[in-house]
Amino acid sequence: MPIIQSITAREIINSKAVPTVETTVALSDGTIVTGSCPTGTSIGSYEATDLRDGDENRYGGKGVLKAVANIKTTIAQAIVGKEIQNFSDIDKILLELDATQNKSVLGANAILSVSITVARACARSAKMPLYKYLHHYLKQQTNLRIPTPIFNIINGGEHAGNNVDFQEFMVIPASSMTFSSGLLMCTNVYHALKNTLKKNSLTTLVGDEGGFGPTFPKNTDALAMLKKAIDTTSAKFGYDIFFGLDVASNSFYHEHAYHIKDNPNPMSTNEIISYFREINKEYALVYLEDPLAEDDWDGWSALCKEQGQDTLIVGDDLTATNPYRLQIAINKKAITGIIIKPNQIGTVLESLAVVEVARAAGLKIIVSHRSGETNDDFIADFAVATAADYVKFGAPARGERIAKYNRLLAIEEEILAATKKT
Ligand code: PGA
Ligand code: ZN
């Protein structure tokens, strides 16, 4: 078994010009790998916390030199010289070292950056692709397949400087399609949308996740425009391509009401549930993420009961990749799907545990990027390894998004070649 020979870290910047942590690990067998962690913008209250320096003279207080120092000192002292059988040995040490629920001592950014890098080092040392290594670790019985992609092609909310309340308007290929054909179809739709926006004299500038960021009088106008764009392609809406929304409703929930431009008055929970019912009548959403605020539990249960048969009701800020929040959601029958973002909880090991509990409860698994990303493609392998149902990595545009989609293309090719051999 190899030994961790050295670990070092550095402050880098992410796709939103915000600092994040990158780690390099060297093993005694000559393996040297690097990994980094993402950062959210619309961050739920129940997420693990990144450690930020708070020095206003550097990056507006968002520097991560303290998190980097934690890796170089506390974490290095605890793990350098350790023999590693599995990545989980190191994750357990990290969890003991921090010993808080929200990773506030060492910082979730420090911990996850190390966790990802160690997992990658273990796979490399075992001479296995990362997805296969994690798949073996999980003793997954399922055949390897690429999850169905969810492409966020109109950005709003906190992810774009426009006036749209909902954060993400997404297109989703039919699950029966291969990953590469779904990518092809949705990329065509992305280009068609650009043309349609231009024809309507709307901006084609993009938001944080690579989707376009036009302004619209109402949120539903974005769906209408998207439908118009799809109709100019060979894709058939409702047959091979579907709509999804990440409402990210925490961002417009104030004083116990939902404030969106589609309605002149703030909406109660019941009113916004009826509003989703109307949207569903027209567009038959297959996917609805964070439709209600993170503590509106009764609303979630009611919505799930009413619309959960036809639409995947997905918790992101609600569940925060947190086992306690997930358990509440299961008990309250509040969701039918869960977003998995490793940096919401802090380690690869804990993220895998949340996936297993969610799957045992019959929930669909959606592995997701963050709005502030690096070119690290760890989550692509993670999604395949965990046999996730969906991946959500943004638009098929911008380097930090396509790093993940392109990794999935390579994995798809490998899996196909392996099946042909057997
Ligand atoms: P975030 O957005 O990374 O800003 O949280 C992604 C999402 O809400 O799904
Ligand atoms: Zn979300």
Side-chain angles (χ1 to χ4, degrees), residues 143-164:
N143 287 338
L144 285 166
R145 79 171 271 278
I146 310 294
T148 300
I150 300 178
F151 299 98
N152 172 14
I153 63 173
I154 295 182
N155 292 185
E158 293 182 37
H159 289 175
N162 56 4
N163 63 348
V164 178

Side-chain angles (χ1 to χ4, degrees), residues 42 167-168 246 248 289-290 316-317 339 341 392:
S42 59
Q167 187 174 280
E168 302 172 20
D246 181 359
E289 179 180 334
D290 281 345
D316 173 13
D317 292 340
I339 283 278
K341 292 171 170 168
K392 187 175 164 240

Side-chain angles (χ1 to χ4, degrees), residues 220-252:
T220 45
D221 294 332
L223 290 172
M225 186 66 69
L226 211 44
K227 172 77 171 42
K228 224 188 214 179
I230 290 173
D231 290 344
T232 68
T233 72
S234 58
K236 287 202 173 48
F237 183 74
Y239 290 93
D240 43 23
I241 192 163
F242 301 87
F243 280 166
L245 287 177
D246 181 359
V247 177
S249 59
N250 278 340
S251 66
F252 54 79

